[in-house]
Amino acid sequence: MINPSYIFLAGASRGVGREIAHCLTQQKLKVKALLRSEATRTDLEAMGIEVVLGDALRISDVESAITQGITAVISTIGGLPKDGDRADYLGNKNLIDAAVKAGVQKFILVSSIGSGDSAQALPPQALATLGSVLAEKEKAEQHLINSGLTYTIIRPGGLKSEPATGDGVLTEDPRVAGTIHRADVAQLVCRCLNSEKANNKILSAVDRQMMYGQPDFVEFDVS
């Protein structure tokens, strides 16, 4: 079991990261979040989250933020390029390297269906559109796998912002694709945090009611 004393969250300002922030604070966990700007600082602090300003693309910022005593790191970062570098790889690489240095027990990386062997789950047009992003995400995944950290990689399908449905599921089957609400991804991430079954696993996340096609697959039980 992960000692829940201190969870570090990168990507808490929006999207899946914000939903994870809600999930963690509802569980009364101590959370520290890395933000690039002050924009959402007040909101996160009102949730009881400790905020540290910094850029994941700067290793010095990350190393000063991920300190001894942090037991797990969760990262949802990615997005627009900055100075030619995408946070999908470089930002996550910095987080992973700092986590190793700080002796973190577990690292959960939120990636994407289409990365690595799950490329087979997407149609060629989607792969062509997302190829450069997915390549960076795959590099981050591989860096984490090779880091020596205990990890869980979660690859969500297409993301929606509606409330949680409770139908989000995980699977090790890389052929599975579909959509899922961000709030359901967050719930799955929080369940994986304290699941030893999820250690060193790569899992796709979809809503069982919103799958592309209906392939037979085995759900991954994180309980």
Side-chain angles (χ1 to χ4, degrees), residues 10-215:
S13 62
R14 60 186 176 86
V16 173
R18 176 61 73 90
E19 297 290 346
I20 292 172
H22 281 293
C23 179
L24 294 174
T25 54
Q26 286 171 359
Q27 294 181 26
K28 309 299 183 186
L29 299 178
K30 184 178 179 183
V31 182
K32 184 178 188 180
L34 179 69
L35 294 182
R36 278 187 300 174
S37 76
E38 297 271 4
T40 57
R41 180 172 193 153
T42 302
D43 291 344
L44 291 174
E45 288 180 340
M47 294 164 60
I49 292 174
E50 177 187 347
V51 171
V52 58
L53 291 177
D55 190 335
L57 293 176
R58 286 197 295 267
I59 186 62
S60 58
D61 288 2
V62 177
E63 286 186 346
S64 64
I66 299 180
T67 52
Q68 297 290 329
I70 287 173
T71 48
V73 174
I74 301 172
S75 176
T76 68
I77 65 170
L80 299 174
K82 181 182 178 185
D83 302 327
D85 290 317
R86 293 192 64 92
D88 298 87
Y89 171 60
L90 182 58
N92 281 312
K93 177 183 184 297
N94 288 341
L95 291 165
I96 293 161
D97 291 346
V100 171
K101 191 173 182 179
V104 167
Q105 294 178 34
K106 189 168 184 176
F107 195 112
I108 298 181
L109 176 64
V110 178
S111 183
S112 177
I113 286 179
S115 177
D117 62 354
S118 66
Q120 62 188 290
L122 297 186
Q125 184 177 5
L127 285 175
T129 302
L130 300 172
S132 61
V133 178
L134 294 172
E136 294 292 296
K137 290 185 181 298
E138 183 175 357
K139 284 170 63 180
E141 291 181 7
Q142 287 301 316
H143 192 70
L144 177 56
I145 291 166
N146 295 331
S147 70
L149 289 166
T150 297
Y151 66 85
T152 304
I153 294 168
I154 297 177
R155 297 169 171 168
L159 295 167
K160 296 185 175 183
S161 294
E162 287 85 351
T165 67
D167 284 324
V169 295
L170 296 168
T171 180
E172 293 184 86
D173 192 332
R175 302 169 302 161
V176 170
T179 56
I180 186 169
H181 294 182
R182 289 176 171 87
D184 287 299
V185 177
Q187 290 180 7
L188 294 172
V189 168
C190 290
R191 284 165 58 193
C192 285
L193 182 64
N194 282 313
S195 170
E196 292 187 3
K197 291 181 182 177
N199 288 352
N200 303 324
K201 295 292 187 180
I202 302 174
L203 304 167
S204 295
V206 294
D207 189 300
R208 63 168 64 90
Q209 305 299 329
M210 295 187 287
M211 297 177 61
Y212 302 150
Q214 293 297 327

